[in-house]
């Protein structure tokens, strides 16, 4: 199926202010090119695009292509389950929304040590295993956001899972919170294939500090910043597919072009990323937000956290540009300000990047208010 996967989490929009307004015409063009170039893996989830991503699957893929020409992955939102009966209801809703009779890959979404106890109590692993027995799911696994020792425990308890979806990129490879390398090695130890999410870290690795970008371009002038990141993940032997949340036809053209006949990175290329480039990124001290928007849904003050953080990061690289402050003021007209944070901690409890959101909101308020 090719090692590039189309992540349906950051699709192009008709209205930048409305994440439900998916530009399906452009997504159709992107899907056409994706399949034309030999890739088949589409990844969505129940909550993506405020629950509209799975519906887009029906219009963009299911209605337009024969079922055996693509593979589809979606996820059970374990963090939204109130009782065991919710699983059957949500699963049936997902089949209806996507227009499918079965899913090729079905995952427990955003597994962590904190959520594992409730997952065990509701027998979520048993649920997806039964769906596989019934032919409604071909392969079962889970996406994961926690430490390697937690992953080791879960895989020891549940050898029936076939794959794990991990946040894996060169910036997080040795990060002590994300532990990309250690989690990858743990999955390999248990004989599991790896699906990579956030290879470009929500776009962070596509917009590098000038000095880091200069280093990469000195070695390969024609490689995009994002292509370096995706190549890094795809070069790992036990990686099955690398997801890219592409949000334009241009990004699709770039990623699918070099991934058609991608060769693994050389030791020199890999060392350049893990050494000087990582050091330069850390020096820039950006907020490591990937704009997954998990933090937004439960914010009692309706603060546009990812949008404010993106403006903060832009200000770091383009200091003094009045456009960022103007944009911040526009956003606050329909959302809470950064300074409105009541420090309830809801955002930090669901953040896959383990960002100290409340502290960064204070810094954001200082810059823009």
């Amino acid at each position: 199926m090719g090692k590039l996967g189309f992540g349906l989490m950051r699709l192009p929009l008709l209205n930048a202010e409305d994440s439900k307004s998916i530009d399906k015409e452009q997504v159709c063009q992107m899907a056409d090119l994706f399949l034309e170039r030999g890739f088949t893996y589409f990844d969505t989830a129940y909550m993506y695009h405020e629950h509209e991503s799975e519906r887009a699957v029906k219009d963009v893929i299911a209605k337009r292509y024969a079922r055996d020409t693509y593979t589809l992955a979606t996820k059970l939102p374990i963090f939204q389950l109130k009782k065991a009966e919710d699983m059957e209801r949500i699963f049936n809703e997902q089949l209806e929304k996507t227009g499918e009779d079965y899913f090729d890959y079905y995952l427990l979404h955003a597994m962590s040590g904190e959520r594992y106890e409730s997952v065990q109590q509701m027998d979520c692993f048993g649920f997806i295993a039964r769906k596989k027995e019934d032919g409604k799911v071909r392969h079962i696994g889970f996406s994961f956001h926690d430490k390697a020792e937690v992953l080791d425990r879960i895989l020891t308890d549940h050898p029936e899972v076939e794959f794990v979806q991990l946040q894996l990129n060169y910036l997080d490879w040795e990060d002590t919170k994300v532990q990309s390398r250690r989690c990858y090695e743990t999955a390999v130890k248990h004989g599991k294939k790896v699906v990579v999410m956030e290879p470009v870290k929500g776009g962070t690795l596509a917009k590098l500090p000038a000095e880091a970008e200069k280093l990469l371009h000195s070695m390969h002038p024609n490689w995009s910043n994002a292509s370096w990141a995706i190549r890094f993940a795809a070069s790992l032997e036990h990686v099955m597919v690398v997801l890219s949340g592409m949000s334009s036809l241009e990004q699709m053209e770039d990623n699918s072009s070099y991934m058609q006949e991608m060769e693994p990175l050389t030791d020199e290329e890999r060392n350049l990323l893990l050494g000087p480039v990582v050091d330069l990124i850390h020096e820039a001290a950006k907020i490591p937000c990937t704009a997954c928007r998990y933090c937004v849904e439960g914010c009692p003050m309706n603060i546009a956290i990812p949008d404010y953080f993106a403006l903060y990061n832009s200000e770091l690289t383009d200091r003094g540009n009045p456009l960022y402050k103007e944009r911040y003021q526009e956003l606050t007209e329909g959302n809470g300000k950064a300074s409105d944070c009541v420090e309830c901690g809801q955002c930090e409890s669901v953040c896959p990047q383990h960002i100290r959101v409340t502290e960064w909101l204070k810094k954001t308020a200082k810059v823009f208010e």
Side-chain angles (χ1 to χ4, degrees):
M1 62 183 174
K3 264 195 171 184
L4 179 67
F6 188 177
L8 307 178
M9 180 182 180
R10 300 182 178 92
L11 296 172
L13 301 175
L14 296 171
N15 177 3
E17 305 300 318
D18 180 9
S19 64
K20 291 184 177 182
S21 65
I22 298 170
D23 183 351
K24 292 181 182 177
E25 182 177 345
Q26 185 174 177
V27 179
C28 283
Q29 296 174 8
M30 295 167 71
D32 292 346
L33 183 60
F34 183 72
L35 291 164
E36 178 186 317
R37 290 184 169 177
F39 306 102
T40 67
Y41 194 102
F42 293 87
D43 172 88
T44 184
Y46 188 67
M47 64 178 293
Y48 290 172
H49 282 275
E50 296 185 52
H51 306 277
E52 288 299 313
S53 178
E54 289 178 328
R55 286 195 176 91
V57 167
K58 178 186 282 190
D59 294 334
V60 172
I61 307 166
K63 289 182 178 180
R64 301 174 63 242
Y65 287 96
R67 187 62 180 88
D68 61 355
T69 61
Y70 62 90
T71 51
L72 179 63
T74 192
K75 310 173 188 75
L76 180 70
I78 57 175
F79 42 86
Q80 293 185 349
L81 300 177
K82 304 299 182 184
K83 54 186 183 300
E85 291 76 13
D86 289 341
M87 293 187 286
E88 186 70 33
R89 173 183 59 79
I90 290 173
F91 185 84
N92 291 333
E93 182 184 343
Q94 290 176 301
L95 288 175
E96 188 277 326
K97 284 166 68 177
T98 57
E100 303 290 0
D101 295 321
Y102 68 92
F103 298 118
D104 298 281
Y105 297 86
Y106 197 67
L107 301 83
L108 301 181
H109 194 180
M111 181 69 69
S112 66
E114 184 178 347
R115 295 185 178 126
Y116 187 46
E117 183 178 349
S118 64
V119 164
Q120 290 288 74
Q121 289 175 349
M122 286 188 280
D123 191 27
C124 297
F125 282 97
F127 174 80
I128 61 175
R130 289 189 293 274
K131 289 302 177 186
K132 181 182 176 182
E133 292 173 2
D134 294 341
K136 294 295 185 180
V137 170
R138 299 289 173 84
H139 304 283
I140 58 174
F142 59 90
S143 61
F144 182 77
H145 294 284
D146 211 325
K147 302 293 179 64
E149 56 265 28
V150 177
L151 179 61
D152 186 56
R153 176 160 60 95
I154 296 173
L155 290 177
T156 300
D157 292 346
H158 294 282
E160 71 273 17
V161 301
E162 301 166 82
F163 67 100
V164 183
Q165 186 164 307
L166 300 174
Q167 178 170 318
L168 195 159
N169 55 69
Y170 67 81
L171 186 60
D172 292 327
W173 190 243
E174 297 295 351
D175 185 90
T176 56
K177 293 179 180 177
V178 181
Q179 297 186 349
S180 282
R181 176 183 59 78
R182 290 186 59 197
C183 285
Y184 171 76
E185 292 172 352
T186 299
V188 172
K189 182 184 77 171
H190 285 270
K192 310 302 178 186
K193 285 292 185 181
V194 173
V195 174
V196 173
M197 58 182 164
E198 302 292 0
V200 193
K201 203 170 173 64
T204 297
L205 302 182
K207 301 174 183 178
L208 298 175
E211 288 302 311
E213 189 172 271
K214 185 177 179 181
L215 275 179
L216 296 183
H217 286 184
S218 67
M219 183 173 286
H220 291 291
N222 298 322
W223 286 15
S224 66
N225 294 341
S227 77
W228 275 92
I230 292 175
R231 282 180 167 102
F232 174 85
S235 296
L236 296 165
E237 179 184 359
H238 298 277
V239 165
M240 178 175 75
V241 64
V242 179
L243 302 176
S244 177
M246 294 169 276
S247 54
S248 70
L249 182 58
E250 181 183 14
Q251 291 176 7
M252 176 63 75
E253 288 173 340
D254 179 37
N255 289 339
S256 60
S257 64
Y258 64 79
M259 285 294 287
Q260 281 183 289
E261 298 180 6
M262 194 217 77
E263 295 184 4
L265 293 181
T266 65
D267 288 343
E268 183 183 8
E269 292 162 346
R270 179 183 167 88
N271 291 337
L272 177 64
L273 289 175
L274 294 176
V277 173
V278 166
D279 291 342
L280 287 167
I281 295 172
H282 284 314
E283 286 174 15
K286 290 185 177 183
I287 306 173
C289 175
T290 65
C292 69
R293 308 194 77 82
Y294 292 3
C295 58
V296 175
E297 196 165 316
C299 176
M301 305 308 292
N302 192 35
I303 300 172
I305 300 169
D307 304 285
Y308 295 166
F309 285 175
L311 290 172
Y312 182 94
N313 286 340
S314 296
E315 170 69 18
L316 281 179
T317 56
D318 190 16
R319 293 186 185 278
N321 190 327
L323 290 176
Y324 303 129
K325 193 162 188 176
E326 291 174 11
R327 178 64 182 141
Y328 178 82
Q329 295 301 326
E330 291 174 2
L331 284 169
T332 59
E333 292 176 7
N335 301 278
K337 296 180 179 179
S339 60
D340 291 336
C341 175
V342 295
E343 300 187 41
C344 66
Q346 184 277 337
C347 52
E348 295 181 358
S349 71
V350 297
C351 178
Q353 310 307 321
H354 310 286
I355 298 170
R356 294 183 177 178
V357 179
T358 55
E359 294 302 314
W360 282 111
L361 282 174
K362 291 175 184 176
K363 294 178 181 179
T364 301
K366 188 175 182 180
V367 169
F368 293 115
E369 296 179 29

